[in-house]
């Protein structure tokens, strides 16, 4: 099945403790149905000091379920994503505006 949300998409969280926060998807795990969004669902990871890094309590973005994310259209409003054929190519489009997301 084609991915409605991909790495690099601007999204907004629509439910959960981080509801309303916006960010960019840094990675997607389609098998688990989760995505990591920068600045959302942050957790504190305690890391040991090494020669390269300082260590201590470092914030880390944890995965969010894809069902809790909505893509932002060009107006900055949450939208659902649909698919349509443009010529012989399948493209994603925003359901609110009808604009093609990736040509």
């Amino acid at each position: 099945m084609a991915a409605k949300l991909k790495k690099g998409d601007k999204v907004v969280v629509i439910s959960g403790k981080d509801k309303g926060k916006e960010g960019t998807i840094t990675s997607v795990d389609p098998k688990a149905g989760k995505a990591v969004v920068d600045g959302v669902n942050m957790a504190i990871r305690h890391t040991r000091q090494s020669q390269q890094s300082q260590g201590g309590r470092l914030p880390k973005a944890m995965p969010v379920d894809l069902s809790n994310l909505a893509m932002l259209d060009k107006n900055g409003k949450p939208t659902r994503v649909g698919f349509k054929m443009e010529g012989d190519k399948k493209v994603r489009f925003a359901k609110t505006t009808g604009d093609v997301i990736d040509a």
Side-chain angles (χ1 to χ4, degrees), residues 58-102:
L58 302 176
K60 180 184 178 188
M62 301 303 287
V64 181
D65 206 88
L66 287 175
S67 64
N68 296 337
L69 299 175
M71 187 159 205
L72 290 173
D73 60 8
K74 66 175 185 189
N75 303 328
K77 299 255 194 267
T79 182
R80 291 180 298 165
V81 178
F83 293 97
K84 64 181 175 183
M85 296 299 288
E86 247 182 34
D88 59 342
K89 192 172 181 190
K90 185 178 182 182
V91 294
R92 299 186 300 162
F93 73 99
K95 295 256 184 156
T96 54
T97 59
D99 295 334
V100 173
I101 295 166
D102 44 7

Side-chain angles (χ1 to χ4, degrees), residues 12-99:
V12 63
V13 181
I14 55 175
S15 68
K17 67 175 184 148
D18 292 321
K19 181 176 180 176
K21 286 190 181 177
E22 298 178 7
T24 307
I25 295 179
T26 54
S27 68
V28 179
D29 183 7
K31 194 168 185 180
K34 292 182 182 281
V36 176
V37 181
D38 57 346
V40 174
N41 198 20
M42 300 301 284
I44 299 293
R45 289 281 164 246
H46 301 281
T47 57
R48 193 178 196 109
Q49 182 175 350
S50 67
Q51 288 183 334
Q52 291 83 19
S53 64
Q54 175 62 36
R57 300 177 60 199
L58 302 176
K60 180 184 178 188
M62 301 303 287
V64 181
D65 206 88
L66 287 175
S67 64
N68 296 337
L69 299 175
M71 187 159 205
L72 290 173
D73 60 8
K74 66 175 185 189
N75 303 328
K77 299 255 194 267
T79 182
R80 291 180 298 165
V81 178
F83 293 97
K84 64 181 175 183
M85 296 299 288
E86 247 182 34
D88 59 342
K89 192 172 181 190
K90 185 178 182 182
V91 294
R92 299 186 300 162
F93 73 99
K95 295 256 184 156
T96 54
T97 59
D99 295 334

